[in-house]
Amino acid sequence: MGDAVALNVVILGPPGAGKGTQAERFARAQGLPKISTGDILREAVQSGSELGHAVQAIMERGELVSDKLITGIVRERLDRADVSAGFVLDGFPRTVPQARALDEIMVGRDPLIVVEIRVPDEELVRRVRARRVCHSCGANVSAFSADPSRAARCEKCGGELVSRADDSEAVVRERLRVYWRDTRPMIDYYSGRTMFQAIDGAQSPEQVRHMLLTTIAELAAGTGTATQPEAQP
Ligand code: AP5
């Protein structure tokens, strides 16, 4: 038997598409690290590091941090040993230069599987405006498993629930504008590839989870990569 093929997954989509929600569950079920560039940057802001100071205002305006900076972060992260069986990338790449840089990083590694989650803009705005996150542990309070307007405290740690700094209506609209300007062309960069597939994200989280799992399994079959059936929640 040959060496196992790593399961290298990229989940793309606009703000609020459910990338983070689905990446978290898929990565956990497969025992792979989830690498979210948004989470990495928010942690840097929260910790008050030099990186955090450099990116805070950019994120709060709904703009993208520079390709050079974010590519350096991802390159360093993908050099760590825990990605040897694969990884799930959430929020990267987001521009054509980032996608090209990822292709360079992947030279000599197992292939990428790229899945785009598609959701109409108005549903995205509704989801993002409804989102609450825990100020202490960063947990996302799901707009469908709890009524965020009634939930006063985080179920995991009891922390205060707040809106994300970039989730105001004006900033969400700016993030969507940036998405259509900078990220949508990058999706065209992938769309001709056999390892790319788009799925309909305007369904329940369970339906999206199922479709994502099926799609990744089909794409992975082309590479000889095995996916594990997801454990029931
Ligand atoms: P990032 O954190 O990546 O933000 P985003 O792409 O705008 O995505 P979101 O986190 O808003 O949404 P999501 O698709 O993960 O959806 P979620 O699962 O949370 O980036 C933040 C910022 O960092 C950027 O604006 C930029 O400044 C910077 N940055 C990050 N990466 C960068 C890069 N590569 N280059 C440059 N800059 C970068 O779901 C959203 C809500 O909907 C939740 O409340 C959830 O519970 C709910 N929900 C999920 N699925 C469903 C469903 N099926 N039905 C109903 N509700 C649902």
Side-chain angles (χ1 to χ4, degrees):
M1 244 183 14
D3 291 339
V5 179
L7 184 56
N8 300 326
V9 175
V10 174
I11 300 184
L12 306 175
K19 302 181 297 293
T21 303
Q22 298 297 338
E24 166 92 40
R25 293 186 66 171
F26 182 80
R28 195 173 351 112
Q30 300 293 324
L32 299 174
K34 179 191 89 148
I35 302 170
S36 160
T37 46
D39 287 350
I40 292 170
L41 296 174
R42 275 185 292 279
E43 279 162 25
V45 170
Q46 184 119 13
S47 72
S49 67
E50 200 178 320
L51 171 64
H53 285 299
V55 300
Q56 181 169 13
I58 299 170
M59 293 175 75
E60 288 179 0
R61 286 196 300 269
E63 294 166 7
L64 299 181
V65 308
S66 78
D67 289 333
K68 190 172 172 209
L69 187 150
I70 202 76
T71 300
I73 290 172
V74 172
R75 187 184 301 278
E76 183 276 327
R77 182 65 188 83
L78 292 181
D79 273 344
R80 294 199 210 156
D82 68 344
V83 301
S84 61
F87 55 79
V88 183
L89 263 176
D90 153 30
F92 182 96
R94 260 172 143 100
T95 64
V96 171
Q98 290 181 24
R100 290 210 178 98
L102 182 58
D103 279 344
E104 279 169 29
I105 294 170
M106 295 304 293
V107 170
R109 305 190 192 207
D110 289 323
L112 275 182
I113 289 172
V114 182
V115 181
E116 178 201 0
I117 303 179
R118 288 191 179 158
V119 177
D121 278 11
E122 286 314 308
E123 168 67 5
L124 297 169
V125 174
R126 191 190 68 73
R127 287 186 192 177
V128 170
R129 296 290 294 121
R131 169 168 49 200
R132 298 292 180 277
V133 293
C134 175
H135 188 59
S136 302
C137 74
N140 190 10
V141 174
S142 146
F144 42 85
S145 70
D147 177 351
S149 62
R150 282 171 38 207
R153 294 268 155 198
C154 173
E155 284 177 7
K156 289 186 184 162
C157 76
E160 186 191 356
L161 297 179
V162 296
S163 287
R164 228 167 77 174
D166 58 350
D167 276 354
S168 69
E169 171 117 20
V171 177
V172 175
R173 300 255 175 222
E174 174 62 11
R175 286 159 60 199
L176 280 171
R177 200 183 66 77
V178 169
Y179 173 80
W180 283 103
R181 187 192 64 199
D182 295 339
T183 307
R184 191 65 220 174
M186 182 205 70
I187 296 206
D188 296 339
Y189 175 85
Y190 283 122
S191 60
R193 298 191 185 184
T194 53
M195 300 306 286
F196 171 85
Q197 183 81 44
I199 62 171
D200 177 11
Q203 312 177 69
S204 74
E206 269 312 300
Q207 288 169 314
V208 178
R209 181 182 75 90
H210 181 73
M211 191 173 281
L212 182 73
L213 185 62
T214 308
T215 301
I216 292 175
E218 283 170 7
L219 294 174
T223 67
T225 310
T227 53
Q228 303 296 321
E230 281 200 333
Q232 290 303 308

